[in-house]
Amino acid sequence: MLHVDVRRRLGAFQLDVSFSVDAHAILAVHGPSGSGKTTLINLLAGLDRPDSGRIVVDGRVLFDSKSGVDVKPEKRRVGYVFQDCRLFPHMTVASNLRYGRRRGERDIDFEQVVSLLDLQALLRRRPRFLSGGEKQRVAIGRALLSSPRILLMDEPLASIDPGRKSEILPFVRLLRDAFALPIVYVSHAADEIAQVAERAIRIENGRIAAADPVRSSADQAYTETGMRLIAVIEAHDSVSGLSVLGSPLGQLYVPRRFEPPGTVLQVTLGASAVEPVAEVVSGAISVLPARMITGTRT
Amino acid sequence: MLTAAETDALMLSLRVGIWCVVGTLPPGIAMAWLLARREFYGKNLLNGVLHLPLVLPPVAIGYLMLMALGRNGPLGAWLSDTLGISVAFTWQGAVVASAVMAFPLMVRSVRLSLECVDRRLEAAARTLGRGSFRIFMTITLPLIVPGILTGAILAFARSLGEFGATITFVSNIEGETRTLPLALYTMAQTPDGESGSMRLAAISVALAMAALFASEITARKLQHRLGG
């Protein structure tokens, strides 16, 4: 759980935002460059200081101008994945990963992170021998292994060519599920946000211009209305970043899973994820035949 | 192969050079950090004073040191009264003289390399839960090792070549303060000293070349490790 209400003036620019993120949710922050996205997460990480306001993570006050609380960045337990990765050039990947290691109440297992992010083959290399996508995965792993209470990601895909984005994107959702971390994901790319986030806020000129649920608050929809069905993983497509599931209703396309093909999954189809289409469209969209039985107005 | 006097001068020069490097390293790094990372009142003045040994005649530095650190000087009297240390006319005094001359070179190269350290890496280390001192030891220091190495080589070279401040401050005592340049100077003043002078000049060249090669090899290894 994250509550933010901060103001920060930098020259003529004024940032003034307030929002909350549930635990286990990914909040996308988007907006034009120079709108204050990076400033905002620097404030959360403690690398910059708000002029006034309040920041609370998991009930712990990190900053409060009224009571004079300002926890140092090294004490905030905020995992920060920087746009430019910032891997330490004089250390191997393994040393980079272990750098922020600490034994906390929510200890994150080294081997688990390594296998999740597929880093085994990279451990002994130095950052300059890594591709952009590999660096980014190491940066994510390093932030995770410091056992953070919240993860901040600043345009993690900005320096990666489009074909490689599918290398990272599925991981982000996986992180939320595997480690129950709230994630603030800064991006200006609409397709990334749609693939990754439950909610999005749009910042323009330092203010929240729009706050909209990307998947109509998927978590909520899942619990309220929808259907459950059993599906089997048929194939993975690493190019599109999708997995194909076989279900009694037909083939379903979902963000890439990491279980091997053949694994049986329980799938929840949120009511809001179902969208009627007039005719069959091509592309990676799951289209199921359906017939309207009743309609209810609310 | 070498005469006893030549061996004495060579070993003394090496000893003074090594102690000069060892002695200027910690304060040099601290001073470089202060100048590169902190803003304070009188910073320009401090920087100016620090560079004096580069612009003043070495003899003047030696004379000022003799006045301050000699047995009757204020600092020298205090040192010998309270700590029982006297550096005037000893090889330790020669170390102090070349350390003063080498200090600005050490500070300059370490500072230059500190200013090139990407501070965003330090910010990243902070978000990973490390405090300032730990970050300095694990991130900053390893990244400025090339600058420290350059500073150490410059300081060593300055010490090997140091003449004016040394002869003024600690005199030219055989076996105590007669380093290679002083021995060479003495030999050149002696009638029929040409061949002896040539031999000492050759030793100086060999020593300097050896130091350069050593630094070149170390720098290449570091380059490889840090990846440029």
Side-chain angles (χ1 to χ4, degrees):
Chain A
M1 191 76 174
L2 165 73
H3 293 282
V4 179
D5 175 20
V6 288
R7 278 153 299 283
R8 174 82 171 112
R9 175 175 283 284
L10 294 161
F13 174 78
Q14 167 91 41
L15 180 77
D16 184 349
V17 293
S18 102
F19 59 88
S20 307
V21 189
D22 294 336
H24 322 275
I26 300 178
L27 173 78
V29 177
H30 62 120
S33 46
S35 57
K37 304 184 297 282
T38 300
T39 305
L40 170 65
I41 54 175
N42 279 340
L43 292 177
L44 301 184
L47 298 179
D48 189 11
R49 191 192 158 105
D51 297 323
S52 66
R54 197 173 148 82
I55 300 168
V56 185
V57 173
D58 274 351
R60 178 170 171 238
V61 179
L62 296 184
F63 182 87
D64 187 358
S65 53
K66 283 205 190 82
S67 55
V69 177
D70 182 11
V71 178
K72 288 180 179 174
E74 60 265 34
K75 304 274 183 218
R76 288 200 176 192
R77 309 197 59 172
V78 164
Y80 195 153
V81 180
F82 297 90
Q83 184 175 347
D84 48 1
C85 298
R86 305 196 189 178
L87 300 182
F88 304 127
H90 57 297
M91 298 181 187
T92 60
V93 167
S95 312
N96 265 283
L97 290 172
R98 289 204 172 89
Y99 189 80
R101 202 95 178 82
R102 85 182 109 197
R103 314 236 150 244
E105 59 270 28
R106 193 194 283 155
D107 206 6
I108 291 178
D109 182 55
F110 187 81
E111 298 306 324
Q112 188 190 358
V113 169
V114 166
S115 72
L116 189 76
L117 293 171
D118 201 11
L119 298 173
Q120 194 61 51
L122 311 177
L123 287 178
R124 298 176 66 178
R125 288 204 228 160
R126 285 181 189 274
R128 75 194 147 117
F129 295 116
L130 302 179
S131 71
E134 289 168 340
K135 276 184 192 162
Q136 206 54 258
R137 285 188 347 239
V138 175
I140 293 171
R142 186 178 69 173
L144 274 178
L145 284 166
S146 67
S147 302
R149 296 215 170 93
I150 178 173
L151 195 61
L152 311 175
M153 307 181 89
D154 187 7
E155 300 258 9
L157 305 186
S159 56
I160 296 172
D161 57 284
R164 290 258 152 185
K165 287 191 177 178
S166 55
E167 232 182 76
I168 307 280
L169 272 178
F171 285 122
V172 180
R173 289 184 67 78
L174 211 61
L175 295 182
R176 181 207 58 186
D177 299 336
F179 302 110
L181 274 175
I183 298 176
V184 177
Y185 187 98
V186 170
S187 176
H188 63 263
D191 60 320
E192 280 176 42
I193 294 167
Q195 280 194 54
V196 128
E198 276 85 32
R199 282 183 55 215
I201 53 174
R202 179 171 177 79
I203 300 189
E204 275 169 26
N205 271 321
R207 282 165 197 282
I208 294 180
D212 47 85
V214 173
R215 294 165 194 269
S216 63
S217 192
D219 284 343
Q220 203 184 347
Y222 288 167
T223 54
E224 283 176 359
T225 352
M227 65 179 298
R228 270 167 201 278
L229 56 148
I230 302 296
V232 185
I233 297 180
E234 289 183 347
H236 299 301
D237 182 359
S238 57
V239 176
S240 61
L242 295 173
S243 295
V244 186
L245 309 185
S247 81
L249 295 177
Q251 283 192 330
L252 298 174
Y253 295 92
V254 295
R256 179 165 173 164
R257 305 290 306 182
F258 287 86
E259 299 88 346
T263 308
V264 178
L265 297 173
Q266 210 185 132
V267 178
T268 321
L269 208 55
S272 55
V274 179
E275 209 180 308
V277 286
E279 52 197 73
V280 173
V281 287
S282 61
I285 296 175
S286 318
V287 181
L288 313 171
R291 188 161 60 96
M292 174 109 82
I293 298 169
T294 53
T296 322
R297 266 180 206 284
T298 49
Chain B
M1 197 170 121
L2 296 181
T3 67
E6 283 165 354
T7 312
D8 273 0
L10 174 63
M11 296 317 283
L12 182 64
S13 267
L14 274 175
R15 187 173 359 143
V16 169
I18 287 165
W19 279 106
C20 168
V21 170
V22 170
T24 46
L25 262 178
I29 293 170
M31 181 64 81
W33 184 84
L34 201 66
L35 292 173
R37 293 291 175 82
R38 285 278 176 268
E39 289 306 323
F40 52 90
Y41 189 76
K43 181 170 163 177
N44 284 330
L45 183 71
L46 178 67
N47 197 31
V49 170
L50 192 76
H51 281 87
L52 272 184
L54 280 188
V55 290
L56 276 181
V59 179
I61 296 288
Y63 183 73
L64 290 174
M65 288 176 66
L66 189 62
M67 289 297 102
L69 284 165
R71 293 209 174 99
N72 300 321
L75 218 54
W78 179 81
L79 275 178
S80 77
D81 288 351
T82 54
L83 301 170
I85 296 173
S86 174
V87 292
F89 308 113
T90 62
W91 72 269
Q92 289 93 338
V95 173
V96 174
S98 52
V100 168
M101 299 303 296
F103 195 62
L105 297 170
M106 174 73 84
V107 172
R108 279 181 79 88
S109 66
V110 176
R111 178 181 177 179
L112 208 65
S113 133
L114 256 178
E115 282 165 352
C116 293
V117 169
D118 188 349
R119 302 206 59 186
R120 292 173 306 170
L121 292 177
E122 296 170 2
R126 290 196 81 183
T127 67
L128 292 166
R130 299 302 177 206
S132 308
F133 181 72
R134 178 102 182 243
I135 291 171
F136 181 80
M137 297 307 285
T138 53
I139 308 292
T140 319
L141 202 58
L143 290 176
I144 62 169
V145 163
I148 292 175
L149 185 74
T150 310
I153 289 300
L154 287 174
F156 187 69
R158 190 72 195 78
S159 169
L160 282 189
E162 169 45 42
F163 179 82
T166 306
I167 202 166
T168 318
F169 180 43
V170 292
S171 188
N172 184 3
I173 304 161
E174 192 174 359
E176 184 66 33
T177 65
R178 186 173 291 171
T179 56
L180 275 176
L182 269 62
L184 179 49
Y185 168 78
T186 312
M187 192 58 85
Q189 301 295 309
T190 319
D192 301 324
E194 286 86 358
S195 68
S197 302
M198 274 315 288
R199 287 171 61 89
L200 284 164
I203 294 169
S204 301
V205 170
L207 187 55
M209 293 297 281
L212 267 179
F213 276 127
S215 86
E216 201 56 28
I217 289 164
T218 322
R220 216 168 290 163
K221 276 193 181 147
L222 278 175
Q223 192 75 15
H224 182 74
R225 267 195 56 199
L226 292 173

